[in-house]
Amino acid sequence: DGGITQSPKYLFRKEGQNVTLSCEQNLNHDAMYWYRQDPGQGLRLIYYSQIVNDFQKGDIAEGYSVSREKKESFPLTVTSAQKNPTAFYLCASSMTGKVNTGELFFGEGSRLTVL
Amino acid sequence: GENVEQHPSTLSVQEGDSAVIKCTYSDSASNYFPWYKQELGKGPQLIIDIRSNVGEKKDQRIAVTLNKTAKHFSLHITETQPEDSAVYFCAGPSGSARQLTFGSGTQLTVLP
């Protein structure tokens, strides 16, 4: 089945530690995205990538980093500089880098809790 | 960039009744408005979208209307069923259509 796989589903981290969330897609999509979801705030864009080896900051990139070394993979690192990292993180992909040409396909999310 | 506001934040309806969720947007150049449904513990899924060259689009029990002059669009769900209970998000393109800006979401509960 084609889709987006996020792992881990649940993750606990101590303050001061970096953590990396995995996102893999087998849809052969060019573009990939990371969103953060907090209660009552909808989905906020962290980073996005339209092609391999290129990515751009979204609205809330501070404290996060990404890489796009392969088309199918777009890992997100939550660094110790992120002041409030506890959240639900969603990875998505789209066929092209223009979101008005087609839908976003989302993974099932990773819930990060900082202890 | 685009600013999308969504109302209400929570909505409860009796099974069989209709539900309406409304969104407003700020960028008059926006031309694509999708709606996503998120079930508990899952990622959002596209349920319907509309482009600025049409005023209404229907898909079975779901419809979306767009008023470009007023810069608002709405999701209409008729004959609601328990499986319609979920969080619904509207969205609009921003950044030269390279990203979507999402509304804050509406928790719809269909009461049996």
Side-chain angles (χ1 to χ4, degrees):
Chain A
D1 281 298
I4 298 184
T5 302
Q6 288 187 241
S7 63
K9 197 170 179 69
Y10 299 95
L11 187 61
F12 297 89
R13 185 194 96 177
K14 291 182 180 179
E15 280 191 24
Q17 288 181 336
N18 292 355
V19 62
T20 297
L21 307 181
S22 170
C23 178
E24 303 277 331
Q25 55 103 354
N26 60 3
L27 300 167
N28 199 33
H29 284 174
D30 285 333
M32 297 186 74
Y33 309 81
W34 274 105
Y35 286 89
R36 171 178 171 143
Q37 185 173 17
D38 296 285
Q41 293 196 49
L43 308 176
R44 292 182 292 166
L45 185 65
I46 304 172
Y47 268 99
Y48 64 103
S49 168
Q50 295 179 286
I51 56 172
V52 175
N53 292 322
D54 187 45
F55 49 84
Q56 287 81 39
K57 293 182 179 179
D59 299 321
I60 56 165
E62 185 175 351
Y64 300 98
S65 66
V66 294
S67 63
R68 186 88 188 275
E69 297 176 1
K70 298 186 295 183
K71 186 175 184 178
E72 58 270 23
S73 179
F74 191 40
L76 174 74
T77 297
V78 185
T79 75
S80 56
Q82 168 50 233
K83 295 178 181 177
N84 186 19
T86 294
F88 189 55
Y89 291 89
L90 286 161
C91 179
S93 71
S94 63
M95 190 176 297
T96 73
K98 294 273 189 176
V99 292
N100 58 357
T101 61
E103 71 180 280
L104 288 183
F105 291 83
F106 284 88
E108 296 211 329
S110 293
R111 186 166 297 280
L112 172 63
T113 302
V114 174
L115 304 172
Chain B
E2 178 70 282
N3 183 38
V4 177
E5 295 192 358
Q6 182 172 347
H7 301 279
S9 57
T10 60
L11 178 61
S12 293
V13 299
Q14 291 294 136
E15 184 176 352
D17 287 351
S18 296
V20 181
I21 303 170
K22 298 180 179 180
C23 289
T24 60
Y25 62 97
S26 59
D27 187 352
S28 56
S30 291
N31 58 5
Y32 173 69
F33 305 94
W35 285 90
Y36 283 80
K37 175 184 180 182
Q38 184 178 28
E39 297 178 348
L40 194 61
K42 304 215 166 177
Q45 273 193 306
L46 179 72
I47 54 171
I48 195 167
D49 56 16
I50 191 168
R51 298 187 185 278
S52 58
N53 57 346
V54 298
E56 184 175 4
K57 183 177 178 181
K58 286 184 180 179
D59 183 3
Q60 299 182 337
R61 296 186 297 107
I62 293 174
V64 57
T65 58
L66 172 64
N67 184 327
K68 286 199 68 181
T69 303
K71 290 193 281 188
H72 66 72
F73 56 110
S74 300
L75 178 70
H76 305 253
I77 305 174
T78 59
E79 300 171 22
T80 53
Q81 300 168 5
E83 53 264 38
D84 294 329
S85 294
V87 179
Y88 291 82
F89 292 98
C90 61
S94 61
S96 301
R98 290 185 174 84
Q99 53 184 283
L100 281 178
T101 297
F102 285 84
S104 54
T106 297
Q107 173 70 63
L108 173 65
T109 303
V110 179
L111 304 168

